[in-house]
Amino acid sequence: MDKMNCPPDFRCPISMEIMKDPVTIVTGVSYERKNIEKWFFVYNKKTCPTTMQCVESFDMTPNHTLKRLILSWKETLVAPSSTSSSMQQPLIKHDEMVSLFTALESSPFKVSSMRKIRAIVELGDETKSDFIRSGGVEAVVGMLINQFDNSDFVSFQACEEALGILHLLPLSKQDEKSFQLISKPDPMRSIAIILQRGSAEARFYAITIFRKIAKTGFNWNPLIEDQGIDLFKSLLELVYDGICNKASSYALEILFEILSSSKKSRLKAIEAGAICILIELLPDSNRSKSEKMLLLIKLLCESPEGRMAMVDHSLGIPVISKTLLQVSNLATKLGVKILWQVCNFHPTEWVLEEMLMHGAVKKMVTLLHLEGRLSSTKKKVLEMLKMHCNSWKRHQCFPCDLKDYLGVK
């Protein structure tokens, strides 16, 4: 299935996947049924994800016409063609593309112009390269900055369409010119605001651009200084919504890039509720996401504020305890590090009892037999057991033979 050349209207604006059961809501926008039902009834949203208009009715009408068009399009991809088997899709003339983005500044129809440009760029790598060589990035980024200062809906929609083009580009340091243009403060600010206020589709474009830029070792500090806690709230909202798994995963990756490079940024993330959100999502997450979330929690718990947020959350210790020996080896190592950080700096009676009651101590004893002799995880486990053995040994579930092993009475 050639998803890259799929007509944009065939994709669900929420998941960006080709629709199988499209339904139309009262705003006239079509979505994959299961995605819009999740938006309304699981996440209790009362807006249209694309237009962000408030909706009073959650009625959904099956879009049979769109479904037939999608099925017909799929058939053309797999059906042999005697007339076009040796023919490629006609190439778009260079002049046509150039004329579109050179007229962007003066055109009153910026949204439709952007969509036409995107349709050309989506044709393949050759048109992407031609777009970059011909000054398309400069034109689109310039339009993004100029239009963003306008407060009307159409201008904001044009900016969203601009991201629809830019997210298709490589944006690597190999394409240094495009990267330099997009990673400047003004474009990055515009992208960050669309991430906060844009439609579901535009937010996906924004997070995709951020992810590509994050891989280049980008310095996030100026953007954090400009956007403050709002940047972290928008990233965490994508993680929490969970409607688009790809967007959620990208947001976790970007959070890691930001938090691992700046200790100061961790305080803003904690203030935005990162610990609370990650703890609540962790039990229902798959292996990959669980590992990413645990890595973020570990980073945040390196600060006193992060450890306090962990201790203050009623599910903090129980959830981390549950991940030990259950998700993966990496998750277990991260879980031990988190508990070690908490035990070292906040060894309150409540914390120690929570660890015992929710199986963390029992699992740590098991780890003594599983981990290698020089394992750093085993060393941390031994440290915790020796440090707090006097508190735990009073309980019946604490192994008697372990007391001799640890040299305690």
Side-chain angles (χ1 to χ4, degrees), residues 14-295:
I14 295 176
S15 66
M16 302 306 296
E17 296 294 327
I18 299 170
M19 289 184 276
K20 297 178 181 178
D21 184 16
V23 293
T24 304
I25 63 173
V26 292
T27 57
V29 183
S30 293
Y31 299 92
E32 177 66 31
R33 182 186 293 275
K34 65 178 182 180
N35 294 334
I36 194 62
E37 285 180 346
K38 194 173 184 181
W39 176 268
F40 285 146
F41 306 125
V42 176
Y43 297 105
N44 296 318
K45 302 287 187 179
K46 296 181 181 179
T47 56
C48 170
T50 299
T51 65
M52 300 310 290
Q53 291 175 270
C54 290
V55 293
E56 296 181 358
S57 170
F58 299 137
D59 291 344
M60 302 173 196
T61 306
N63 193 332
H64 298 299
T65 302
L66 180 57
K67 186 174 183 178
R68 283 195 297 269
L69 287 171
I70 294 172
L71 291 173
S72 178
W73 172 75
K74 287 182 176 179
E75 288 173 2
T76 62
L77 294 180
V78 296
S81 173
S82 59
T83 59
S84 61
S85 58
S86 61
M87 297 176 61
Q88 296 182 345
Q89 187 175 5
L91 295 174
I92 304 297
K93 292 182 180 180
H94 169 81
D95 291 344
E96 182 180 351
M97 182 168 63
V98 172
S99 65
L100 280 168
F101 57 69
T102 52
L104 269 178
E105 188 175 347
S106 58
S107 173
F109 307 110
K110 289 180 172 59
V111 173
S112 60
S113 295
M114 285 292 188
R115 288 173 179 170
K116 288 177 183 177
I117 293 171
R118 179 179 173 181
I120 296 172
V121 174
E122 283 181 326
L123 290 176
D125 292 337
E126 287 186 16
T127 52
K128 285 179 188 176
S129 299
D130 189 25
F131 172 80
I132 294 169
R133 285 194 306 268
S134 304
V137 179
E138 291 94 325
V140 172
V141 170
M143 196 283 310
L144 174 66
I145 297 170
N146 294 333
Q147 290 295 303
F148 211 85
D149 292 331
N150 298 332
S151 58
D152 60 285
F153 174 74
V154 175
S155 295
F156 192 81
Q157 193 177 12
C159 293
E160 291 184 332
E161 292 295 336
L163 298 198
I165 297 170
L166 297 176
H167 94 285
L168 298 170
L169 307 180
L171 302 182
S172 62
K173 284 200 170 178
Q174 283 70 35
D175 178 23
E176 189 171 349
K177 187 177 180 182
S178 298
F179 170 76
Q180 291 293 340
L181 283 167
I182 296 172
S183 61
K184 287 181 178 179
D186 286 341
M188 290 295 284
R189 175 180 172 274
S190 301
I191 297 168
I193 292 175
I194 289 175
L195 185 66
Q196 296 163 31
R197 307 176 193 167
S199 65
E201 194 172 6
R203 291 167 70 204
F204 177 77
Y205 300 152
I207 201 69
T208 303
I209 294 170
F210 274 175
R211 179 178 181 254
K212 291 179 179 181
I213 288 175
K215 290 183 176 181
T216 64
F218 177 74
N219 179 14
W220 294 93
N221 288 331
L223 185 64
I224 294 169
E225 288 296 323
D226 179 62
Q227 295 297 305
I229 193 174
D230 289 337
L231 176 64
F232 292 99
K233 284 182 177 179
S234 60
L235 290 169
L236 290 167
E237 187 177 348
L238 274 181
V239 174
Y240 188 78
D241 280 349
I243 295 176
C244 177
N245 287 328
K246 192 177 287 187
S248 177
S249 182
Y250 288 176
L252 288 170
E253 290 177 25
I254 293 165
L255 281 167
F256 173 73
E257 291 294 334
I258 295 174
L259 299 181
S260 60
S261 62
S262 169
K263 290 185 178 180
K264 189 177 179 180
S265 66
R266 298 175 194 178
L267 299 178
K268 288 186 171 67
I270 293 165
E271 188 182 348
I275 291 285
C276 180
I277 289 171
L278 295 172
I279 287 295
E280 289 178 8
L281 293 177
L282 194 54
D284 298 320
S285 298
N286 59 29
R287 173 178 171 174
S288 175
K289 278 192 177 179
S290 293
E291 291 173 348
K292 290 175 183 176
M293 290 178 184
L294 286 166
L295 194 53

